[in-house]
Amino acid sequence: TSPGAFEGVGECGLAWLQDARDKTGLPVCTEVMCAAHVRLCLEAGIDAVWLGARTTSNPYLVQEIADALKGSGLKVFVKNPLSPDAALWAGAVRRLSGCDVTLVHRGFTPIEGGVWRNDPRWGVPLALRAEFSGMPILCDPSHMAGNAALVPEAAQKAMDLGFDGLMVEVHPHPEVALTDAAQQLSPEGFARMLDSLTCRTPDCGTALEGLRARIDEIDSDIVRSLAERMALSRKIGEWKRVNGVQIVQPGRWDEVMKGVYAQARMLGVSECLVREIFNLIHEESVYNQK
């Protein structure tokens, strides 16, 4: 991602993949970011390719890759875009409609720091899975976690939500990995994680888990919005002190609630509910201004 950082070994890496496949009998896969990469993979007989988050975010690159893949029969894994934009992700899938596509959820670039390197926002991939019924979906817990210790937790959550599999980074010596060292599992750690995972059948509450995941996202958004609102209240309080303006202004609050009630009626939300919630918000806002 950054100039001067490790960016891969280039075309010679394809020969390494061929050698690994010959020795293990397993299919091999690598990332492509343009049509030239696709052509090299086809010439090398690579079994599958994937599009990274930055590539999926660019419709022009996706179309270029789709044109290069046309008629190849190559399996394609499509990671989510950088932003939680389901329409952008779906657009990439549609451009690759002639290919054997599998979705890969690796989380989204967060607006602010948090536990996860990439915000899971599980509701987005679940919505896409519903749109493309029958299309397999994997989770990349390594990029989502950004921390090897959190990878098993993200992997189990994906299993709880009925994902079809995982895309996990494993390195024999993670401490010397040339890229993303912090998120890579050792082979022993990978084996322990696999032993610990519990896989559910599709009828074991997957739909309920999906709805709960969406509620969790909304709750998180509410808390973030409250934090932002209180920060603004403190700035308003500072301005009022400097300019000699009283903290509580009933006319302003009546105006706010008039708009809130109108929106609640339009959206079918109880006025009683929003009154109680916003009264608490107002009390906390006044406290912050003081």
Side-chain angles (χ1 to χ4, degrees):
T1 305
S2 302
F6 178 70
E7 295 181 336
V9 297
E11 188 176 347
C12 69
L14 296 174
W16 300 356
L17 290 175
Q18 290 170 323
D19 186 46
R21 179 177 54 196
D22 292 342
K23 290 180 178 177
T24 64
L26 296 171
V28 292
C29 180
T30 190
E31 182 173 352
V32 293
M33 288 162 278
C34 60
H37 291 172
V38 173
R39 287 191 287 271
L40 288 170
C41 287
L42 292 174
E43 291 169 5
I46 301 302
D47 301 290
V49 296
W50 81 76
L51 276 62
R54 291 166 182 79
T55 306
T56 304
S57 300
N58 188 327
Y60 301 98
L61 283 179
V62 175
Q63 188 61 56
E64 176 184 314
I65 291 169
D67 292 341
L69 285 168
K70 190 172 293 183
S72 68
L74 211 61
K75 188 172 186 64
V76 185
F77 297 88
V78 183
K79 291 197 175 186
N80 62 255
L82 294 170
S83 61
D85 187 338
L88 184 61
W89 197 1
V93 172
R94 292 194 180 94
R95 289 179 187 276
L96 294 158
S97 59
C99 302
D100 179 6
V101 174
T102 293
L103 301 168
V104 182
H105 178 47
R106 46 81 84 187
F108 305 96
T109 302
I111 298 174
E112 54 195 27
V115 174
W116 305 103
R117 174 185 177 184
N118 293 321
D119 191 347
R121 289 194 169 266
W122 296 103
V124 178
L126 294 175
L128 212 67
R129 181 173 63 183
E131 182 175 349
F132 295 102
S133 179
M135 184 175 290
I137 181 167
L138 310 182
C139 177
D140 173 356
S142 301
H143 277 83
M144 186 178 292
N147 179 344
L150 294 174
V151 170
E153 181 181 341
Q156 184 59 64
K157 181 66 175 180
M159 294 294 96
D160 291 343
L161 293 172
F163 278 59
D164 299 291
L166 304 168
M167 184 178 191
V168 183
E169 291 194 15
V170 181
H171 193 290
H173 303 287
E175 66 278 4
V176 297
L178 295 178
T179 180
D180 290 335
Q183 69 197 37
Q184 303 203 36
L185 298 180
S186 66
E188 297 77 16
F190 179 58
R192 285 195 299 271
M193 183 185 78
L194 291 182
D195 287 341
S196 70
L197 290 177
T198 302
C199 299
R200 297 185 180 183
T201 55
D203 59 348
C204 283
T206 300
L208 179 61
E209 290 288 348
L211 294 171
R212 284 173 172 168
R214 182 64 185 130
I215 284 178
D216 290 345
E217 289 176 11
I218 293 170
D219 289 346
S220 180
D221 288 341
I222 290 172
V223 174
R224 276 195 289 262
S225 295
L226 285 172
E228 184 178 0
R229 195 187 196 286
M230 294 309 153
L232 290 171
S233 292
R234 287 190 287 275
K235 289 183 178 180
I236 289 173
E238 292 168 7
W239 185 92
K240 286 179 178 177
R241 278 194 298 277
V242 170
N243 292 277
V245 177
Q246 67 178 20
I247 294 294
V248 178
Q249 296 180 313
R252 163 61 182 164
W253 185 241
D254 290 343
E255 182 184 333
V256 168
M257 290 307 298
K258 183 178 178 181
V260 168
Y261 288 143
Q263 187 177 19
R265 286 192 295 270
M266 183 176 65
L267 296 175
V269 179
S270 163
E271 287 190 21
C272 179
L273 173 64
V274 297
R275 180 170 58 252
E276 290 189 27
I277 290 173
F278 274 83
N279 280 338
L280 289 171
I281 290 173
H282 186 225
E283 289 176 13
E284 184 68 16
S285 180
V286 169
Y287 174 79
N288 274 272
Q289 288 189 42
K290 289 180 177 180

